[in-house]
Amino acid sequence: MLNLTSASTPTTSTQSFAAFVNAARGRGEIVVQPRMGFSDPEQMRDGLLATRRARAVSVGTLTLDSYTRVRDYASAARALADGAPLNGYPILSHLQQVTRGLLDSVRGPDFPVQVRHGSAEPYEIIRALSVLGLDATEGGPISYCLPYGRVPLRDAVRNWARSCELLSEQRETGAEPHLESFGGCLLGQLCPPSLLIAVSVLEAMFFRQHGLRSVSLSYAQQTNADQDAEALAVLGALAGHYLPDLDWHLVLYTYMGVYPTTRAGALRLLCDSAELAVRGGAARLIVKTSAESVRIPTVAENVEALELAGAVAAACTRSRPAAPPPDTGLLAEAGALIEAVLELDDDLGAAMLRAVERGYLDVPYCLHPDNPGRTRSLIGPDGRLGWADTGSLPISGRAAHVGRARAGSTDLLMALSYVKNRYDQAADLPESVLAGAAADTVRRGDPAAVGRAGRTVRTIRTLGKADH
C-alpha cells in the first residue's frame, strides 16, 4: 500500500528553478506563478519585473506565442515586422541579444524563469532557451500533442526524446535543468483524475529515461475539492514510488476550463485553488486572473492574482493541517493505468504509443486523430468527476466513479460550464479565508501590499453581493 502523505526529498543543490522551489518548500511557502507572455520585449520585461516585485514567493514565466508553438516561425517574424501583437513571446524570432537584454538583471537565483510553450515538437525551442541559459520548461509528448493539434503522436514522442536529451546537456555547464509534465492538465477540464495522474507520472518517467533528473508533476483543479485533494495525494505517492531517484515536486493549476465571468467568482475560484495547493501538498501554483474569461490579462491583473493566491496560501499554511483524504479507489485506478502502460515496452516512448493505440490512454472528448476517442466523463451529483464510459481503459472493476448512462451533448454542455456557473452564483468568500489572507498581508508589513489586499477583499465582498 502506497503512503498518500509521501513527499520527495529535495536533492537539487545548484541555484536553479528547482532549487528555488525546494528552498521555498523548506520554509513552508508555496511558489506562485503567472501564465504570462507578451510579444513586445519591453512589455515582457515589465511583466517579469512586476512578477518579481509581487508580494508573494514568485517565479517568472516566459510564455511563447502560438506561431512559435506550431513552428510557424515565418508568421511570427512577419507579425513582429508589421508591429502586430502576438499572444506570447516569439523566442525564435527575436534576436538573441534582445532576449538577453530582456532577462538581464531580472532573472537570477532569487527569481528563476520558466519557458512555457505548448509545442508538440519543441526541439528548436529547447535549443533556443538553452543558448540563453534558461534551465526550466514544461510540456510532454502526450500532454502537448493530443490536446493541442494534429501532429502525429509518433513524431511528438520522437521530438520530445531529442528535446529531453538536449535539455539534459545543460548539466555540462553546471546547471540542473528542470522539466514539468503538463500531463495533469491535458484538455483542461472533464478528464477524470486517474488519467491526469497517470499521464503526469508516465511523462516524468519518460523525462528521466531521456536524461532529466529534476521534474515536476502537474494536476489541474477540477470540480470537487475533496476529490482534487485525494488526487494530489495520490500523485505525490505515485511520484515517490516511481521516481525515487529524482528531484520532483507537485504543481497545481488553478482551474483550466471555462472560467467564471464575474470578478468575484473568478477570485473566489483562485482562492480555492490556493487553499487546495496547501491541502494537497503542491509546491507551486499556476494562477489565473479575474480577466481570464474575456481577454489576455494585464500585468497588474497577474500581480493581483499572485498576491491574493500567495496570501491565501500563507494563511492556510498557518492553520491546522488537514487530515489525509480518504481513499476512494483513485490510487488503485491510477496505478492500474500506469502499470498497464509499463508492461507494454521498456522504452517509455514506445509504451505510450502502444497504450494510445490500444486505448489504454484515451482522453475524453479529445479530437486528435491518434486519440482513440472511446472514453467519456461526467460530473456526479456530488460534483466529483468520473467516467461515463471507460472505453478500453485497463481499469475494469477498479474505476472509482463510473456513470450508468452515456453522457449526451446536453450533459457535455452543462458539464463544461459547471465550475463557471457554481462560482458565479456562489455566496461571498468565507470570512475565515478573507480574514486569514488579510492578516497575512498585514504581517508582511508593507503598506502598499496591505492596501492592495484590503481593496481586493472589499471588492470580492462587494461584487459577490452585487452579482446576485
Side-chain angles (χ1 to χ4, degrees):
M1 177 65 69
L2 296 179
N3 180 6
L4 291 186
T5 61
S6 68
S8 72
T9 301
T11 58
T12 304
S13 59
T14 58
Q15 291 300 317
S16 64
F17 184 90
F20 180 89
V21 175
N22 287 337
R25 181 167 53 176
R27 299 190 302 268
E29 297 175 314
I30 285 183
V31 175
V32 291
Q33 180 177 357
R35 298 164 62 246
M36 183 189 296
F38 304 102
S39 54
D40 179 69
E42 291 187 11
Q43 189 180 13
M44 189 70 251
R45 179 179 172 86
D46 289 344
L48 288 172
L49 286 170
T51 300
R52 180 171 181 164
R53 290 192 296 262
R55 301 296 298 186
V57 183
S58 59
V59 294
T61 302
L62 200 69
T63 300
L64 305 191
D65 65 290
S66 296
Y67 287 134
T68 301
R69 185 184 78 192
V70 297
R71 304 172 71 190
D72 186 359
Y73 309 129
S75 292
R78 188 161 50 250
L80 289 182
D82 294 342
L86 298 171
N87 64 345
Y89 187 79
I91 196 170
L92 284 150
S93 301
H94 281 302
L95 296 175
Q96 286 183 18
Q97 56 263 40
V98 170
T99 306
R100 291 186 190 278
L102 182 162
L103 295 169
D104 184 44
S105 302
V106 178
R107 178 191 49 153
D110 59 341
F111 186 70
V113 173
Q114 183 192 45
V115 175
R116 306 188 67 85
H117 54 82
S119 179
E121 298 177 292
Y123 186 82
E124 291 94 345
I125 294 170
I126 301 297
R127 182 170 57 192
L129 68 88
S130 296
V131 169
L132 293 164
L134 293 163
D135 64 5
T137 188
E138 44 76 62
I142 290 178
S143 60
Y144 267 1
C145 178
L146 295 186
Y148 276 83
R150 302 180 69 84
V151 172
L153 182 59
R154 187 170 301 276
D155 293 348
V157 168
R158 186 183 303 113
N159 192 291
W160 268 96
R162 294 175 60 226
S163 299
C164 290
E165 291 160 7
L166 178 61
L167 185 63
S168 69
E169 291 177 5
Q170 287 196 26
R171 282 203 300 276
E172 297 174 4
T173 68
E176 186 59 73
H178 181 85
L179 187 53
E180 169 196 326
S181 166
F182 195 70
C185 299
L186 295 179
L187 284 176
Q189 65 182 114
L190 300 186
C191 185
S194 60
L195 186 60
L196 299 177
I197 294 166
V199 174
S200 202
V201 171
L202 289 166
E203 287 192 336
M205 296 176 71
F206 175 90
F207 299 160
R208 176 180 60 187
Q209 193 166 72
H210 292 282
L212 276 301
R213 301 190 307 196
S214 179
V215 302
S216 46
L217 300 91
S218 65
Y219 181 79
Q221 180 185 20
Q222 298 295 322
T223 55
N224 179 285
D226 291 336
Q227 184 182 42
D228 287 342
E230 181 186 3
L232 284 166
V234 169
L235 181 58
L238 292 173
H241 178 73
Y242 288 106
L243 306 167
D245 54 334
L246 296 192
D247 166 77
W248 60 266
H249 68 263
L250 303 185
V251 53
L252 175 69
Y253 283 70
T254 300
Y255 188 67
M256 295 283 284
V258 179
Y259 218 67
T261 56
T262 63
R263 175 173 164 79
L267 293 178
R268 282 195 294 268
L269 182 52
L270 173 64
C271 289
D272 281 355
S273 72
E275 182 178 358
L276 175 62
V278 174
R279 181 182 175 190
R284 186 160 48 97
L285 173 66
I286 310 295
V287 305
K288 294 186 81 171
T289 73
S290 59
E292 295 293 333
S293 66
V294 292
R295 56 175 165 77
I296 296 175
T298 64
V299 171
E301 287 161 342
N302 273 289
V303 170
E304 175 188 57
L306 292 169
E307 293 184 343
L308 181 59
V312 171
C316 293
T317 299
R318 289 193 305 273
S319 65
R320 181 181 301 174
D327 181 1
T328 68
L330 186 53
L331 177 63
E333 186 177 331
L337 288 171
I338 294 169
E339 285 298 320
V341 176
L342 295 180
E343 289 174 1
L344 295 176
D345 202 292
D346 291 338
D347 179 272
L348 264 297
M352 289 191 291
L353 285 170
R354 291 180 183 175
V356 172
E357 290 171 356
R358 297 186 183 188
Y360 290 3
L361 299 176
D362 186 350
V363 183
Y365 311 111
C366 174
L367 300 179
H368 190 284
D370 289 335
N371 189 63
R374 294 190 290 272
T375 61
R376 294 291 183 270
S377 62
L378 54 74
I379 299 174
D382 59 355
R384 289 178 179 263
L385 187 57
W387 297 104
D389 191 331
T390 57
S392 298
L393 298 179
I395 54 173
S396 177
R398 295 177 183 263
H401 306 281
V402 181
R404 298 190 179 188
R406 189 174 181 85
S409 58
T410 301
D411 300 309
L412 174 60
L413 290 173
M414 291 178 62
L416 287 170
S417 296
Y418 176 85
V419 169
K420 169 194 171 300
N421 292 340
R422 180 156 61 93
Y423 277 85
D424 279 342
Q425 298 167 7
D428 290 17
L429 273 172
E431 289 295 320
S432 59
V433 174
L434 292 167
D440 178 75
T441 310
V442 171
R443 288 188 186 94
R444 296 173 187 230
D446 178 68
V450 171
R452 282 193 297 270
R455 287 191 295 274
T456 298
V457 166
R458 288 193 296 273
T459 299
I460 295 173
R461 284 177 174 151
T462 301
L463 291 179
K465 295 172 182 175
D467 287 339
H468 299 299

